Amino acid sequence: MPNKFLPLTVLAASVALACAVVPVSPIGAVWVVPPKNPPAGPVITAVELRPATTQLVQPCPVVLVFHGDITTTRATSVTYTWVDSRGRSWPEHHRRFTLAGGNGVTHKWKVGKPGKTVDAWVQLKVISPESRVSSKVPVHFTCAK
């Protein structure tokens, strides 16, 4: 009659492989431990900003909403801000991105005065863990009187 149970040596080898245990002798094993230091290389791989929706002529002031993406190679904490063509910097934002890939951020900017033309640009600026900036996104429209 065939044996319904796996031999102990086959069972032990299966458990060792499933648990990432590499046997070195019949009575000892070595655990494979991943390194504690993160992999080398850049953490931030892209910083992108999309234009806000505007009309050629619109009532002002208007609140523009910009949507950006900060792309990372791994989970990390990021500090970023927004800058404009007038040299203005907004307060810094600190976020913990838990996954690699694109991470969305938004920015609201109230701009314009009745009868005036707005001709400016905005950038998304990553401060840390590495300094990176998006392309300048132009903002151009005329405010209705």
Side-chain angles (χ1 to χ4, degrees):
M1 182 156 141
N3 186 353
K4 294 183 181 180
F5 300 101
L6 291 173
L8 184 58
T9 55
V10 172
L11 182 59
S14 299
V15 169
L17 288 175
C19 296
V21 176
V22 181
V24 292
S25 73
I27 51 176
V30 175
W31 289 95
V32 179
V33 178
K36 290 184 180 183
N37 296 334
V43 176
I44 308 295
T45 56
V47 178
E48 299 171 342
L49 183 58
R50 292 178 293 287
T53 303
T54 61
Q55 301 171 1
L56 292 177
V57 177
Q58 59 189 36
C60 290
V62 65
V63 176
L64 302 177
V65 180
F66 295 90
H67 298 275
D69 286 303
I70 300 172
T71 306
T72 62
T73 57
R74 59 184 171 270
T76 190
S77 291
V78 174
T79 301
Y80 65 94
T81 189
W82 305 86
V83 294
D84 70 17
S85 52
R86 294 179 293 177
R88 179 177 176 200
S89 248
W90 279 267
E92 293 179 359
H93 301 273
H94 306 280
R95 292 228 350 238
R96 173 81 182 149
F97 297 142
T98 57
L99 299 173
N103 299 278
V105 295
T106 59
H107 174 60
K108 292 181 182 180
W109 184 22
K110 187 175 182 178
V111 65
K113 294 180 182 177
K116 301 291 181 180
T117 297
V118 174
D119 190 14
W121 54 260
V122 175
Q123 270 184 312
L124 170 57
K125 179 181 179 182
V126 174
I127 299 165
S128 71
E130 301 158 359
S131 180
R132 296 274 182 115
V133 292
S134 70
S135 298
K136 293 175 181 175
V137 172
V139 178
H140 183 80
F141 58 89
T142 302
C143 295
K145 289 186 179 187

